Amino acid sequence: MQDRFPAQERFSDGAQYIAGRLTKGTSGAVHTVIDPATGEEVLTYELAGADDVDAAVAAARAAFPGWSAATPGERSDAMHRFAAVLANRAEDLARAESLQCGKPLKLTREFDVPGTIDNTSFFAGAARHLAGQSAGEYSGDHTSYVRREPIGVVGSIAPWNYPLQMAAWKILPAIAAGNTIVLKPAELTPLTSLLFARAATEAGIPDGVVNIVTGTGRTAGEHLVGHPGVAMTSFTGSTAVGKRVAEVATATVKRLHLELGGKAPLLVFDDADLEAAANGAVAGALINTGQDCTAATRAYVQRPLYEAFVERTAALMGTVRVGDPFAPGTDLGPLVSHQQRDRVAAFVDRARGYARVVTGGEAPSGELKSGAYYLPTLITDAAQDSEVVQSEIFGPVLVVLPFDGDDEGIALANDTPYGLAASAWTRDVFRANRATREIQAGCVWINDHIPIISEMPHGGYKASGFGKDMSAYSFEEYTQVKHVMFDNTAVARKPWHRTVFGDS
């Protein structure tokens, strides 16, 4: 276990990070983090209760006046140091993420950790570019300008599928804009959120600016969202839980940002590069073992390419190497837990009654039997209104359906409650442009599926939520707009006063 990540040793002081130090939770309940690749215990810790949330919010409130008053340059400098500390801790972060999530090391080393460091560097620079509208005399007698100001304490909840990156997406724009934050990571995967917060302290970001409370959603999460000292809630997770978060947050009239579920279509027109589309579909469906709200889950293929696409995609899935996340050569690790593996398996088993499982559809045997593994799975012959087409499975499962005309393909792509991401595959610029206009999703890729970059926004349409992560657009989530207006006339009685008193 030592060559994976020594979690019990590193978090012996507890799994809460409040006011710059690790502490133990006070709920009276404990939780054990399990390595999903082996079923072995990684860390047993005390869960946060309401008192821990109160302490974290109090620490964030105490830190807010100083941090919000820091100049953009001062916040920027601190965040550049933060990025440097993260870069020095890159291997620790990668191993901790692989251990708690089951991600292959090549994914955490090449995607999760570098992406997080890049996000930190981006927001370090963006902190200097937090500007309102230019001053102007819009009424003629007044000068107006717009200030963008921090909101206060942000209470955020992050999911278990990308715990390091989600911690970064929540924390970085919030603190770059001058807010302070209390983050509740998923209790399944707290390790890298805690490492991230400790790195912030090492970089010189003041105590209380970044706080972590690790507890259950029902206890710590609801108390955080409903806390009167929290001015904004940002949540990433399922649409069902997002609805509950919205209920609790709006009861206290909080700013709300929701990034919820997805069921991303991959639309393949008949002029597409078949090999590129099949490779993109497999990579887009299987990244992070399919536990990605933007993963390619529904491939719609125009009928002339349909049979060849199914055959090639199934063949490519058969080449994916399933194994220990820490073993060289592993392409696909386990799901995050046995419970999640069983949930995915149940979706596939029910689909056997109305569709065809072309490849996969089972857990591997042998030396991987004790882990939460599930083989890459391809399903065809499902109806558009069936469960596997409409519901978020969150596993290594791709459903392929045919379509005829372009109108039908785009209509099918839009025919779910979700609208987070999508891709279209074609050599025709007019088809591509039409797809980007008409597909209802917050991100549409052309001839690729999944890449994200710090400079561009991420967020959805419809039941996938509202608001943006990453990019300068995220400042719109984490700032409030103030209009300031100066009288330029120095006249005691203004012309408009006659509407209230006097005739002139």
Side-chain angles (χ1 to χ4, degrees):
M1 187 64 68
Q2 287 297 106
D3 65 337
R4 285 159 121 64
F5 179 80
Q8 199 70 54
E9 172 190 323
R10 295 288 291 277
F11 300 111
S12 59
D13 291 331
Q16 318 303 323
Y17 196 77
I18 300 172
R21 65 186 185 92
L22 287 170
T23 64
K24 296 182 186 298
T26 61
S27 70
V30 298
H31 182 80
T32 299
V33 177
I34 301 295
D35 177 353
T38 63
E40 296 176 2
E41 295 183 4
V42 169
L43 172 69
T44 298
Y45 67 93
E46 296 82 0
L47 288 162
D51 289 346
D52 304 300
V53 173
D54 290 342
V57 172
R61 285 173 64 86
F64 178 73
W67 184 249
S68 61
T71 66
E74 289 168 340
R75 290 199 295 268
S76 177
D77 288 348
M79 293 182 71
H80 278 300
R81 295 194 301 269
F82 189 8
V85 173
L86 293 171
N88 288 335
R89 305 282 187 276
E91 185 63 14
D92 259 5
L93 290 164
R95 289 182 173 273
E97 193 80 334
S98 289
L99 179 63
Q100 66 183 352
C101 299
K103 299 169 186 271
L105 263 180
K106 69 175 179 179
L107 179 62
T108 58
R109 283 173 172 165
E110 298 175 24
F111 182 76
D112 297 72
V113 174
T116 299
I117 295 168
D118 184 70
N119 267 209
T120 309
S121 296
F122 171 81
F123 280 108
R128 289 181 177 264
H129 298 280
L130 185 58
Q133 188 173 337
S134 298
E137 286 67 50
Y138 298 97
S139 78
D141 290 337
H142 305 82
T143 296
S144 289
Y145 66 87
V146 170
R147 292 173 57 88
R148 280 200 173 273
E149 298 181 343
I151 296 170
V153 176
V154 179
S156 292
I157 298 177
W160 47 255
N161 58 332
Y162 288 101
L164 176 60
Q165 287 199 309
M166 293 297 99
W169 287 16
K170 300 301 184 193
I171 291 169
L172 295 172
I175 67 172
N179 302 285
T180 56
I181 189 166
V182 179
L183 173 74
K184 192 202 86 66
E187 63 270 25
L188 288 176
T189 55
L191 305 184
T192 45
S193 298
L194 294 165
L195 292 175
F196 192 74
R198 291 182 77 171
T201 299
E202 290 179 46
I205 292 174
D207 293 350
V209 172
V210 178
N211 306 275
I212 308 292
V213 289
T214 309
T216 64
R218 187 171 296 278
T219 299
E222 291 216 6
H223 191 61
L224 177 62
V225 172
H227 200 290
V230 170
M232 174 183 170
T233 291
S234 177
F235 170 80
T236 297
S238 71
T239 298
V241 177
K243 291 177 181 178
R244 175 59 183 161
V245 169
E247 289 174 4
V248 176
T250 54
T252 50
V253 199
K254 287 178 169 55
R255 176 78 66 90
L256 185 61
H257 167 216
L258 298 175
E259 198 265 271
L260 306 177
K263 190 70 177 175
L266 183 139
L267 186 60
V268 182
F269 291 102
D270 57 12
D271 67 330
D273 181 325
L274 177 64
E275 187 67 12
N279 276 271
V282 172
L286 300 185
I287 188 170
N288 200 29
T289 319
Q291 298 165 123
D292 187 312
C293 49
T294 63
T297 59
R298 302 176 289 140
Y300 295 101
V301 184
Q302 206 151 16
R303 207 168 294 273
L305 291 184
Y306 178 75
E307 294 296 340
F309 179 90
V310 170
E311 181 181 353
R312 183 59 181 144
T313 301
L316 285 170
M317 281 189 171
T319 69
V320 173
R321 299 164 296 182
V322 180
D324 181 350
F326 288 81
T330 292
D331 297 321
L332 197 75
L335 287 103
V336 74
S337 67
H338 287 80
Q339 180 181 9
Q340 180 64 14
R341 191 271 311 275
D342 293 346
R343 178 180 180 277
V344 170
F347 269 102
V348 177
D349 289 344
R350 290 192 296 271
R352 296 181 201 278
Y354 57 79
R356 180 169 71 100
V357 178
V358 177
T359 189
E362 62 183 1
S365 55
E367 61 182 15
L368 300 181
K369 187 176 182 180
S370 61
Y373 293 93
Y374 200 76
L375 294 177
T377 299
L378 184 66
I379 295 174
T380 62
D381 301 337
Q384 174 65 17
D385 62 356
S386 63
E387 181 186 48
V388 290
V389 175
Q390 293 292 323
S391 298
E392 190 172 32
I393 299 172
F394 231 55
V397 179
L398 176 65
V399 184
V400 186
L401 298 90
F403 72 93
D404 292 306
D406 291 14
D407 290 352
E408 181 190 13
I410 290 174
L412 289 170
N414 286 331
D415 185 28
T416 71
Y418 301 105
L420 187 57
S423 65
W425 300 72
T426 177
R427 293 182 173 94
D428 185 324
V429 66
F430 298 103
R431 270 178 160 171
N433 275 325
R434 182 187 178 190
T436 63
R437 290 194 309 270
E438 296 185 16
I439 292 177
Q440 298 161 1
C443 176
V444 180
W445 294 284
I446 299 298
N447 296 325
D448 206 346
H449 194 109
I450 227 71
I452 55 174
I453 51 175
S454 297
E455 291 82 359
M456 289 291 109
H458 176 88
Y461 286 23
K462 303 191 294 186
S464 292
F466 48 82
K468 299 300 178 184
D469 290 309
M470 301 195 298
S471 81
Y473 290 94
S474 63
F475 279 135
E476 296 177 8
E477 312 300 324
Y478 293 97
T479 60
Q480 47 197 353
V481 172
K482 177 185 287 183
H483 171 215
V484 178
M485 197 172 198
F486 283 88
D487 170 58
N488 291 332
T489 67
V491 174
R493 179 166 288 196
K494 311 292 193 278
W496 73 266
H497 289 179
R498 66 185 298 274
T499 64
V500 176
F501 63 95
D503 294 324
S504 61

